[in-house]
């Protein structure tokens, strides 16, 4: 039985993070199963099984300064309810460094990805959400959309106050493949090239193999 709260040790660990780099490292470790709980997520649970193959990409993003908060793979098929489900490969993340944000937006827009930018600061950009999951053709899930101050408290409880202020005032970016289903998995290749996890192959950049992690 998993207890419905974060352990004291994990709470101390997240509270000890002082920089975005520290936060990204802890998120990468949680993604890899080295930490049982993370802020803003069900305690003592790791990523969903469907995102297991995305862990190297997501961990590399976190360690490169792009702290991921949510993701899903591309999928098309019959669900457990017998209805037809389609998903766009998609990820949400927060960026606090303007140079990193510029690099990210340039890379994903050049690859034709759907991009939404949102922050809760007064006068901040508030793009409309993008549908990423449908059930029998009806929208079920969307990424992006207006962010409120209350959303930040739910997303990042227990952080050091100065670090909380940084991520709460960061830029939240939602990126989705335009295609539904497995074809949209090319999103992860684009992001791997961005972080250096996957090396560029001028002949065919979409089929290069990411190096194994040590």
């Amino acid at each position: 039985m998993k207890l419905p709260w974060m352990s004291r040790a994990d709470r101390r660990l997240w509270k000890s993070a002082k920089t975005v780099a520290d936060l990204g490292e802890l998120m990468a470790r949680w993604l890899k199963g080295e930490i049982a709980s993370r802020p803003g997520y069900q305690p003592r649970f790791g990523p969903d099984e469907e995102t297991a193959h995305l862990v190297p990409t997501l961990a590399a993003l976190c360690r490169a300064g792009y702290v991921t908060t949510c993701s899903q793979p591309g999928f098309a098929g019959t669900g457990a309810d017998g209805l037809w489900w389609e998903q766009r490969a998609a990820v949400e993340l927060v960026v606090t460094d303007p140079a990193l944000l510029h690099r990210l937006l340039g890379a994903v827009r050049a690859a034709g990805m759907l991009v939404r930018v949102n922050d809760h600061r007064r006068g901040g950009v508030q793009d409309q959400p993008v549908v990423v999951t449908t059930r029998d053709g009806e929208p079920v899930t969307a990424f992006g959309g207006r962010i409120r101050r209350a959303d930040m408290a739910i997303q990042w409880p227990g952080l050091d106050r100065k670090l909380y202020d940084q991520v709460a005032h960061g830029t939240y970016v939602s990126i989705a493949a335009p295609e539904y289903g497995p074809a949209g998995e090319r999103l992860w290749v684009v992001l791997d090239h961005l972080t250096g996890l996957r090396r560029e192959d001028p002949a065919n950049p979409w089929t290069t193999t990411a190096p194994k992690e040590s």
Side-chain angles (χ1 to χ4, degrees):
M1 177 181 176
K2 293 184 178 181
L3 297 174
W5 57 79
M6 188 184 296
S7 70
R8 289 182 180 179
D10 283 356
R11 286 201 301 270
R12 288 195 297 268
L13 194 59
W14 291 98
K15 188 70 172 180
S16 72
K18 302 301 182 185
T19 67
V20 173
D22 293 340
L23 181 62
E25 177 61 27
L26 292 179
M27 288 291 282
R29 290 177 58 193
W30 173 80
L31 285 162
K32 293 187 172 187
E34 298 171 10
I35 300 174
S37 303
R38 56 158 273 201
Y41 198 83
Q42 187 171 3
R44 301 175 191 267
F45 279 82
D48 288 342
E49 289 185 9
E50 70 169 359
T51 60
H53 69 290
L54 307 182
V55 166
T57 295
L58 300 175
L61 283 166
C62 288
R63 286 174 168 147
Y66 306 100
V67 181
T68 65
T69 58
C70 187
S71 63
Q72 67 176 35
F75 171 80
T78 303
D81 58 3
L83 300 178
W84 186 257
W85 288 75
E86 291 187 315
Q87 290 186 173
R88 287 179 163 127
V91 63
E92 291 186 331
L93 42 80
V94 57
V95 191
T96 60
D97 183 315
L100 291 179
L101 177 63
H102 180 76
R103 284 190 62 214
L104 172 68
L105 295 180
V108 295
R109 284 171 173 161
M113 299 298 160
L114 305 176
V115 182
R116 301 292 186 269
V117 176
N118 300 89
D119 65 62
H120 79 270
R121 292 171 293 187
R122 179 175 296 181
V125 176
Q126 292 288 355
D127 286 342
Q128 294 300 306
V130 57
V131 173
V132 295
T133 305
T134 63
R135 176 176 177 263
D136 266 10
E138 295 296 322
V140 173
T141 306
F143 276 17
R146 179 168 291 277
I147 296 175
R148 302 167 301 166
R149 182 173 299 180
D151 297 326
M152 294 296 98
I154 294 170
Q155 180 72 65
W156 301 112
L159 291 188
D160 172 82
R161 172 51 59 183
K162 290 183 179 179
L163 178 57
Y164 174 84
D165 287 343
Q166 277 190 273
V167 296
H169 291 87
T171 302
Y172 286 76
V173 183
S174 303
I175 307 164
E179 313 93 340
Y180 284 94
E185 293 279 279
R186 67 188 181 92
L187 167 62
W188 315 117
V189 179
V190 174
L191 296 174
D192 285 348
H193 286 160
L194 177 71
T195 61
L197 182 63
R198 190 183 303 251
R199 291 183 294 273
E200 294 282 355
D201 178 357
N204 193 345
W206 307 117
T207 57
T208 54
T209 302
K212 294 181 179 179
E213 292 196 334
S214 57

